[in-house]
Amino acid sequence: MKIKAFLVALFFAIQLNGQNSDPDYEKSTNFGMKLGISASTMFGGELQNPTPLLGYVAGLYYHSKLDKKKIHYQTGLDLRLRGSNFNNVNDSLSNRAYTRIGLISVDVPLNLLILIGKYSRERVNHIMVGIQPSYILRSIVYLGAGQIPAQSQVYMKKWQNLPLSNFEISGIVGYQHKEEGFGYQIAFKVGLNNLNDNFKLVTVDSDTGIEYDLLPKTGTGKFIGTGSLEFAFIF
């Protein structure tokens, strides 16, 4: 899934970049493609021992016409693969320890672009400040050192999402450098709302049918949030 999404995004980015090389193409176009990677994690008292997880982002963006004005706006539509690793491997109970949670979300970043330095058509720099509504399409928990999906014995289309809220609001602070037809973004995104929706992780023994809690135990009702540091090329 990750590889397919990444390749599709790369294909469209190449196509768009080819348009930008066309002398008849509008050099100061207000829309384009975004393609990048992120280090994401989950925080709060509910989940124990989180560590960063490498993720991917691909999307479209649109901004108001860039000129000498101090503030502009920018929005977009992104598909993100993110989540968190967890350092919970236990040799004696490895099949009951959660070691990764994967999230797939559709995001709508809403940013103000604050001009830094002087504006020029050839090169412009902005600070990004904004919020990002997200809808979590898929959430999966993985077990043990091998990070095997907890529902691996169930047909994939029947996998149930985790007890997490589907809707998330994140705050964004970042930096954007843009030249004609090319640029990059660096952004820190942190979830502002609690995703805990009666969250509790369990697994079922395939032989006995007995249900066990995943470890460390969840179900305490404490906060669950997400955060990520994202780097993306913009075309």
Side-chain angles (χ1 to χ4, degrees):
M1 177 64 182
K2 289 184 179 181
I3 296 175
K4 287 182 180 179
F6 183 81
L7 291 176
V8 169
L10 180 60
F11 172 78
F12 281 110
I14 292 171
Q15 294 300 310
L16 185 62
N17 197 42
Q19 283 184 311
N20 289 347
S21 64
D22 185 341
D24 295 328
Y25 186 72
E26 176 56 51
K27 292 182 179 179
S28 59
T29 182
N30 295 349
F31 63 91
M33 289 283 299
K34 177 167 75 173
L35 183 64
I37 60 174
S38 66
S40 62
T41 192
M42 302 177 76
F43 62 89
E46 188 67 62
L47 295 164
Q48 302 300 311
N49 306 312
T51 60
L53 171 70
L54 178 66
Y56 303 92
V57 58
L60 303 168
Y61 71 89
Y62 172 85
H63 56 67
S64 56
K65 184 177 181 181
L66 302 182
D67 52 28
K68 295 181 180 179
K69 289 187 293 187
K70 190 69 175 177
I71 297 178
H72 301 82
Y73 65 85
Q74 181 169 281
T75 186
L77 183 66
D78 296 343
L79 178 68
R80 278 202 299 164
L81 283 68
R82 56 193 176 104
S84 182
N85 286 316
F86 298 90
N87 187 19
N88 290 328
V89 174
N90 183 308
D91 291 338
S92 62
L93 295 170
S94 62
N95 62 330
R96 290 179 56 191
Y98 65 87
T99 52
R100 176 181 165 191
I101 290 178
L103 305 176
I104 301 175
S105 66
V106 174
D107 310 328
V108 183
L110 305 169
N111 288 314
L112 293 178
L113 300 179
I114 304 171
L115 181 66
I116 304 173
K118 294 182 179 181
Y119 166 82
S120 71
R121 266 180 81 89
E122 291 75 27
R123 184 178 292 107
V124 63
N125 300 305
H126 290 96
I127 292 291
M128 299 190 304
V129 179
I131 61 172
Q132 177 175 277
S134 300
Y135 184 80
I136 298 175
L137 298 172
R138 173 66 72 182
S139 52
I140 304 168
V141 64
Y142 300 80
L143 307 180
Q147 297 189 334
I148 306 300
Q151 302 178 71
S152 59
Q153 297 184 12
V154 179
Y155 186 52
M156 184 175 291
K157 289 186 178 180
K158 296 183 179 180
W159 285 10
Q160 298 295 314
N161 280 343
L162 303 179
L164 295 169
S165 172
N166 289 330
F167 184 73
E168 182 179 28
I169 289 284
S170 300
I172 304 174
V173 177
Y175 169 80
Q176 177 173 290
H177 171 84
K178 194 170 189 294
E179 302 183 19
E180 292 183 272
F182 179 79
Y184 62 87
Q185 296 177 350
I186 302 172
F188 177 67
K189 303 179 179 182
V190 60
L192 303 178
N193 61 306
N194 187 2
L195 297 182
N196 192 326
D197 185 15
N198 296 316
F199 187 86
K200 187 175 183 180
L201 295 176
V202 298
T203 187
V204 178
D205 188 289
S206 58
D207 296 324
T208 65
I210 299 175
E211 185 176 271
Y212 296 98
D213 290 336
L214 294 186
L215 301 175
K217 286 188 177 182
T218 52
T220 65
K222 295 180 181 178
F223 190 89
I224 298 176
T226 71
S228 62
L229 180 62
E230 180 183 292
F231 177 86
F233 290 108
I234 54 177
F235 304 93

